[in-house]
DNA sequence: AAGAGTAGGTAACTCGTGTAACTTATTGAT
DNA sequence: ATCAATAAGTTACACGAGTTACCTACTCTT
């Protein structure tokens, strides 16, 4: 099943290409990177390209980065599970856009004991930029550490400008607030807020809860936290004990959790939206497949091309014009 | 919003640490890597550690890799959207396991024009291993290119041993076959197979279709390909024209597509499983939330710890004992 | 014929580490 | 007192690329 690997194959370097083409390494570099085009004659250029082709030469990004003083890596630290269908397609576009611009996007989903060790792990890779989907990663200490390791651009979505990083403003509290306002408008006064227990989601769950609290308090409604595992039995248990909670509505973190809970409600005969009004978030297709269809909250993410442009500019010049804040829009359907 | 960055901050190198501690670079390296422990006195060791701490020294993985001749990168090339809930948690565990063992897992989800350019992009990073979830990426040419670029281990799931790569055997055709057998057992004779149109999924969709074909033909059932976008309208259109197709059952690629289509069926009054029996795959929670509950096919993936061990061994010794093939199990529920 | 350009190319340095080979001072054995 | 062994360092090179400064041969001008 494993390979023999007896013939530790020779990896061709630019020196090999130079030797085969009968020129110096410098010339090879000039040709392959198309720098100083007038320095190399047509004949020589062709010889070099032919040699590179013949040897299947692949540049050594590590060596290049060392010399250049920076990599072309854009690091996206994110737990895989936090990427729902909401961002996966978008992230893939970003990959492509940045690839066109000469950057390599890599995602890194490690769990770390603390922020500092995470930041150190990122810094070791010497990415040229770090693109964080959640804000709380960029504390001042982390920012300093990363900057000093040579990271050129820190990009994040956050509720308030993050010092030392380029911030696209968006407060997840707005999602919670929009949900709460809507529920109160529909006459609900006792709002349950589903808190997912999955690792990596609290980054979004907490501000969403905060938003619900803020809006609810302002309108005289009560808020109750409701922890929920992403599992059938957990939802069933919650539905079983639901009447004791005295709640008339739920904001369910996102549409996935909403769907899970709605099923449990329906299984025990709790009427949605009659007894309980439900709001999800992220406006996933899943939500529209529910009956009643889920009221949800749509996030309008900036087009990935625009983000890629901004990031590039940020890397190259250290600054970029601000992007408009992200917005959230409530989409009312049948569950409220 | 952007930072000033006037003070291009000095990144501390091991030379800086050496200078501050009043020792040579070699000594710093010995201390920080804990190589040759008896070579350095306790006093000196402490001075070095203190200096490193004070300067917030972060090793330069790029330089280290260049010197070492290989990186500690494990590359997981995968389109983000192909990672459903099925593998995301597992992948995260793998991250952690390999991190403990000194490796850095990065996912790279770029779309490439062709396999060759993808392989070149991977080779440039000089990963020490590549972990592919789908097989068709490792053609002989790609394997050769990667090997020559210094990749130590190629790991993949595939239907048959891939020359030059360590293969955990699993044929996605088995999923399709299991579905088809089950449907025929339940008396169905005309099977539709949903073909998702999303990028990156054809790698799994095609062998699953093949499996359905194989089993169906052997049992005298017919198979019809049914393309389907992951969108509400597409499903509605399909359901509208369903009767013309003359099918009595569907294998829906996975539970997500099954849920989408089942909803469309129910909206137009097609009874499941009465008129159409449905089988999904991947055994997602989502499937158990449907009514009727979705019959699905569970994949038993090897524990990530075991995979991490095997991969490490493969990197270090070039060979590793074979792992048992993955298995697929049909979970019968109410939709068939 | 002398001088100035220029086309085409190369030698040599650099990036930050890890390590093999060498050095020196001190201790221990005889 | 002498020699060997060891402890505790250091020096110097390699990894693979990009780039600056230099070199040589040729052409053109006057």
């Amino acid at each position: 099943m494993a390979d023999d690997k007896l013939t530790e194959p020779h990896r061709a370097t630019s020196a090999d290409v130079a030797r085969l083409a009968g020129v110096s390494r410098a010339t090879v570099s000039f040709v392959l990177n198309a720098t100083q085009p007038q320095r190399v004659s047509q004949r020589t250029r062709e010889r070099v390209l032919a040699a590179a082709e013949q040897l299947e030469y692949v540049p050594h990004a590590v060596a290049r980065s060392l010399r250049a003083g920076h990599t072309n890596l854009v690091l996206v630290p994110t737990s895989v599970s936090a990427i729902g269908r909401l961002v996966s397609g978008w992230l893939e576009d970003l990959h492509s856009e940045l690839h066109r611009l000469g950057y390599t996007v890599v995602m890194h989903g490690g769990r770390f004991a603390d922020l500092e060790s995470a930041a150190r792990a990122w810094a070791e890779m010497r990415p040229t930029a770090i693109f964080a989907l959640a804000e709380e990663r960029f504390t001042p200490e982390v920012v300093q550490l990363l900057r000093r390791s040579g990271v050129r651009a820190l990009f994040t979505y956050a509720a308030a400008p993050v010092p030392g990083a380029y911030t696209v403003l968006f407060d997840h509290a707005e999602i919670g607030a929009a949900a709460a306002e809507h529920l109160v408008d529909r006459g609900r006064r006792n709002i349950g807020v589903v808190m997912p227990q999955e690792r990596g989601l609290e980054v979004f769950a907490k501000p969403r809860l905060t938003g619900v609290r803020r809006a609810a308090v302002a309108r005289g409604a009560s808020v109750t936290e409701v922890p929920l595992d992403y599992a059938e039995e957990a939802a069933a248990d919650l539905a079983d004990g639901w009447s004791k909670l005295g709640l008339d509505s739920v904001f369910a973190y996102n549409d996935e959790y909403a769907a899970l809970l709605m099923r449990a409600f329906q299984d025990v005969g709790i009427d949605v939206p009659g007894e309980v009004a439900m709001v999800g978030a992220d406006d996933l297709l899943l939500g529209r497949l529910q009956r009643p269809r889920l009221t949800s909250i749509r996030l309008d993410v900036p087009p990935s091309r625009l983000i890629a442009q901004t990031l590039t500019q940020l890397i190259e010049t250290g600054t970029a014009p601000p992007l408009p804040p992200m917005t959230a829009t409530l989409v009312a359907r049948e569950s409220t």
Side-chain angles (χ1 to χ4, degrees), chain A residues 237-257:
Chain A
D237 290 348
L238 182 55
D240 271 343
W242 188 256
S243 57
K244 291 195 287 284
L245 295 174
L247 302 172
D248 56 16
S249 55
V250 179
F251 167 65
Y253 174 68
N254 76 0
D255 291 349
E256 279 190 312
Y257 279 85

Side-chain angles (χ1 to χ4, degrees), chain A residues 45-277:
Chain A
R45 184 196 326 283
E46 281 164 10
R47 278 222 312 287
V48 169
L49 291 174
E53 172 97 359
Q54 185 182 333
L55 295 176
E56 289 194 303
Y57 171 70
V58 176
H60 197 300
V62 172
R64 173 182 292 176
S65 299
L66 179 59
R67 165 64 226 229
H70 61 263
T71 62
N72 70 341
L73 246 46
V74 174
L75 181 65
V76 181
T78 174
S79 86
V80 195
S81 38
I83 305 182
R85 278 200 171 264
L86 175 63
V87 283
S88 70
W90 181 85
L91 206 50
E92 219 152 296
D93 288 343
L94 187 67
H95 266 69
S96 303
E97 292 292 338
L98 284 171
H99 182 70
R100 283 194 317 112
L101 298 167
Y103 297 98
T104 301
V105 177
V106 298
M107 287 172 294
H108 184 67
R111 287 179 249 123
F112 294 94
D114 53 299
L115 252 85
E116 158 123 20
S117 55
R120 292 180 62 87
W122 305 338
E124 284 192 28
M125 298 190 224
R126 311 281 149 151
T128 195
I130 297 184
F131 189 105
L133 295 143
E135 69 192 283
E136 73 171 22
R137 299 165 178 271
F138 288 159
T139 66
E141 295 77 26
V142 168
V143 167
Q144 190 196 339
L145 179 68
L146 293 174
R147 286 283 176 194
R148 293 180 74 174
S149 83
V151 176
R152 301 262 251 267
L154 298 174
F155 190 114
T156 188
Y157 295 107
V162 174
Y166 182 96
T167 315
V168 170
L169 290 176
F170 180 69
D171 192 347
H172 277 259
E174 285 181 28
I175 295 183
E181 286 170 20
H182 176 73
L183 289 171
V184 173
D185 285 350
R186 303 271 164 142
R188 312 294 165 142
R189 287 292 174 273
N190 301 301
I191 306 175
V193 176
V194 168
M195 297 299 285
Q197 303 297 297
E198 284 176 288
R199 206 176 38 233
L201 295 189
E202 70 281 352
V203 189
F204 305 115
K206 280 185 187 168
R208 291 183 183 188
L209 169 64
T210 306
V212 174
R213 280 238 158 77
R214 201 176 59 208
V217 165
R219 285 165 182 73
S222 83
V223 174
T224 306
E225 277 186 62
V226 183
L228 178 57
D229 278 327
Y230 191 70
E232 229 178 337
E233 314 77 50
D237 290 348
L238 182 55
D240 271 343
W242 188 256
S243 57
K244 291 195 287 284
L245 295 174
L247 302 172
D248 56 16
S249 55
V250 179
F251 167 65
Y253 174 68
N254 76 0
D255 291 349
E256 279 190 312
Y257 279 85
L260 171 64
L261 187 53
M262 187 188 290
R263 169 56 59 204
F265 281 155
Q266 293 174 338
D267 282 350
V268 297
I270 297 176
D271 181 51
V272 179
E275 295 174 59
V276 184

